[in-house]
Amino acid sequence: MTKRDFIKMAGMLGIGLPLQTTLVSCRKETITPVDPNSESVLIIGAGAAGLTAGYHLAQQGINFQILEASSTYGGRMKRTNTFADFPIPLGAEWLHVSESVFSEIVNDNSVQVNQEMIPYSPQDSYGMFQNGVLEIDTLGSYSDLKFKNSTWFDFYDQYIVPTVLPNIKFNTVVSSINYEGSSIEIQTTDGQNFSGDKLVLTVPLKILQDSDIDFTPALPTGKMNAINDVVMWPGIKVFIEFSEKFYPTFFRLGNTSNNGNLEYYDASYGQNTTRHILGLFTVGDPSERYISRTGEDLKNYILNELNEVFSSDVSQYYIQHIEQNWVNEPFIRGAYLRDNENWNRVQTLSDPVDDKIFFAGEAYTQGNDWGSVHDAARSAKSTVEALVG
Ligand SMILES: Cc1cc2nc3c(=O)[nH]c(=O)nc-3n(C[C@H](O)[C@H](O)[C@H](O)COP(=O)(O)OP(=O)(O)OC[C@H]3O[C@@H](n4cnc5c(N)ncnc54)[C@H](O)[C@@H]3O)c2cc1C
């Protein structure tokens, strides 16, 4: 059962929403609003959550600065324009909720959001390789939407980044956070200091699990337990260009693992292109056998696997490939919070500390959903709403 199936079922059983409502009201009670005239907010991380938080603070006229460890923004929305004649999403690819989330993020009625999305057709082909045989069926009902000649990154690049870019400081790796006094003092690995009245922390979970950031005082025990007990799945994406299209729209190898996911899919689906690009997306347990490989080794491993699935030498059609191993990204180190995570722990992850440190991002949601760009964005938006009071 996937997280989305689980959440749907929990919703039907009525155990999801009451928990969320309780938590939201608790958070509001303990938060002192930011004074736009005299106070400022520091944001750590310029992925979907950090960018959304900055953008919404800007809309409220609140001073903020985003500190980003890498040399660019976007985090796990990374994409490349150089592999094909359409943008290739190396991280987030699909929209898992209604398109209205774009306007929810932009939050400005005067802005017309033009983001073309493509639904899959129930008649599209879906393959399952089991016991040495690839059985092809129709896809049936499938709600995820694909971006047309665009990506999540491009949406942010067009609608959100122009507002926040002047406030992002790149190549700035936060190493310590001191929240003992009335303000928050931050230090970076290269000895820079920053100070603010509130902090929105959006770094990937692994960064906290690996203790890259020292906290003074230490984070509360309950918070630390939640951070250390949850699991951020490993993950990798590979895109392979072929001279022939020999594959269905989607295909899987064996049944879906409860502790991860593996999907091959037509990455050119709905794009303005004649090029045949097959995507491999895998997270959690099934990703381990790909993550341990790279370059020619990874390519040969995948081509052998495909030769077996299609019972012919499809490797003769190989042109080129590109890989994105998220475990090896120095400031990310994994894919996202596992789908089958415990709800209570996820709620604890998002709890603010001392009315000073606030958490936003795919893993720091209020437990109703997690793992996706829209979750990161919504958690950031609700954090800003709480900060504004
Ligand atoms: C393979 C893969 C496929 C996915 N597919 C989808 C999909 O189809 N649809 C979907 O909606 N979502 C998908 N996701 C999930 C989605 O990409 C994430 O949920 C979302 O982008 C996370 O945003 P974030 O802001 O929480 O974190 P991030 O994007 O990770 O941003 C955190 C930022 O913090 C920075 N940082 C880290 N440490 C420090 C430090 N010490 N100091 C300063 N900065 C620091 C990082 O450099 C990074 O930029 C996928 C993810 C992966 C990996």
Side-chain angles (χ1 to χ4, degrees), residues 160-215:
I160 307 299
V161 170
T163 304
V164 300
L165 190 57
N167 300 42
I168 308 179
K169 203 159 167 25
F170 293 106
N171 304 307
T172 305
V173 185
V174 171
S175 54
S176 77
I177 296 171
N178 186 323
Y179 62 104
E180 248 169 348
S182 55
S183 62
I184 296 160
E185 305 301 326
I186 283 183
Q187 204 165 49
T188 63
T189 49
D190 60 358
Q192 295 183 74
N193 296 298
F194 298 88
S195 178
D197 299 287
K198 307 264 187 196
L199 172 70
V200 181
L201 190 60
T202 76
V203 299
L205 260 172
K206 272 275 174 195
I207 302 299
L208 298 181
Q209 290 176 333
D210 293 349
S211 303
D212 279 32
I213 303 179
D214 269 350
F215 290 86

Side-chain angles (χ1 to χ4, degrees), residues 329-349:
E329 279 291 318
F331 304 115
I332 310 267
R333 300 186 204 146
Y336 47 82
L337 187 64
R338 64 177 168 179
D339 285 354
N340 49 348
E341 193 47 79
N342 173 298
W343 285 31
N344 290 332
R345 288 191 198 134
V346 182
Q347 290 186 331
T348 308
L349 287 179

Side-chain angles (χ1 to χ4, degrees), residues 45 47-49 68-69 76 92-94 96 172 174 331-332 361-362 371-373:
E68 167 55 49
R76 282 169 270 175
E93 180 155 356
W94 291 277
H96 299 309
T172 305
V174 171
F331 304 115
I332 310 267
E362 62 90 6
S372 300
V373 174

